[in-house]
Amino acid sequence: MKRILLALMLPLSSFLIAQTQIENGGFEGPWEDVSGSEDEPAEWSSIKSADALAALAPVVAFQSGDAHTGSYSIRLKNTTSFGVVANGIITNGRVHADFDPELGNVFTDVDNDQWNLEFPDRPDSLVAWLKYNPSGSDRGKIEVLLHDNSAPGILPETGTTDHWVAKARYDIEAAHGDWTRISVPFHYYSTGNPNYALVVISSGDSTIAVDGSEL
């Protein structure tokens, strides 16, 4: 039985997907310098390395020494900037930023190996270890989209999902002060194999994220 394993160390620690591994899934390193930001884990992107507005974006991703296994994890925190709450977000694709939060997304950048993961397997589930400290009624999210190369892989969906092979999503709807294990199955839309895996983890609820939530 194939499984996808994600251990979130305050938010993430290690990822294993069948025979294919998420690159730098344990966030142990390397960590790369990002202009005007904290370091980011290699093969991952926050809004500080987005394709637009990166220089204006606040820092929302931080290296953490609180880990379920290993030495490090990544901490995501919602932060207000220019009167808008920036969602604490990281992806193994790339963030597309816009002054209108409704137009923001994450996507598989097939032209840059740093921001895509070729992935041919069909896992059955996503498993994660996480901690979460939401503000108010905020909720975090872990989402993995498996898609083929017939159309761009983008989350949230743009109305075109024929290229989707499978998706797993877990909404974090309660506080977790201690490391907590969660599991959610992949829902399959087709019988074919994917070409890419797009992973996104966020500490807030999309465009209605609340300032201060931490994953």
Side-chain angles (χ1 to χ4, degrees):
M1 178 179 293
K2 296 181 179 178
R3 299 190 68 83
I4 174 174
L5 170 64
L6 160 65
L8 274 84
M9 312 310 257
L10 205 191
L12 296 74
S13 186
S14 60
F15 260 120
L16 296 174
I17 302 183
Q19 295 84 12
T20 305
Q21 294 189 20
I22 292 288
E23 298 163 313
N24 196 18
F27 303 97
E28 293 297 302
W31 285 69
E32 300 177 331
D33 291 333
V34 177
S35 179
S37 177
E38 298 283 323
D39 292 347
E40 289 182 351
E43 311 300 339
W44 294 86
S45 171
S46 77
I47 56 177
K48 290 303 292 184
S49 48
D51 64 353
L53 305 179
L56 301 176
V59 179
V60 297
F62 308 83
Q63 187 181 53
S64 172
D66 184 351
H68 181 259
T69 57
S71 299
Y72 300 107
S73 67
I74 187 166
R75 178 171 63 93
L76 304 177
K77 182 177 181 179
N78 299 352
T79 303
T80 298
S81 179
F82 298 102
V84 177
V85 177
N87 204 347
I89 190 170
I90 197 163
T91 176
N92 71 337
R94 196 169 192 189
V95 177
H96 169 68
D98 194 281
F99 283 117
D100 181 353
E102 295 285 349
L103 300 179
N105 60 58
V106 299
F107 65 99
T108 297
D109 187 346
V110 298
D111 295 322
N112 192 322
D113 289 342
Q114 182 176 0
W115 293 308
N116 70 62
L117 174 64
E118 295 184 3
F119 187 81
D121 295 320
R122 291 174 59 90
D124 65 32
S125 59
L126 163 69
V127 175
W129 288 90
L130 58 87
K131 287 185 175 183
Y132 189 47
N133 182 23
S135 294
S137 58
D138 207 2
R139 62 179 181 175
K141 178 184 70 175
I142 310 165
E143 192 167 15
V144 181
L145 171 66
L146 307 180
H147 66 91
D148 66 31
N149 57 13
S150 64
I154 300 174
L155 288 171
E157 68 177 82
T158 59
T160 302
T161 58
D162 290 346
H163 61 300
W164 286 17
V165 176
K167 190 174 74 166
R169 171 170 172 159
Y170 187 83
D171 291 314
I172 311 165
E173 298 181 326
H176 298 283
D178 297 320
W179 287 109
T180 302
R181 181 185 185 275
I182 61 92
S183 177
V184 62
F186 274 89
H187 174 72
Y188 277 85
Y189 308 101
S190 72
T191 58
N193 284 358
N195 297 110
Y196 295 97
L198 177 62
V199 184
V200 58
I201 303 104
S202 61
S203 53
D205 191 359
S206 187
T207 60
I208 57 173
V210 182
D211 183 75
S213 293
E214 294 188 64
L215 178 64

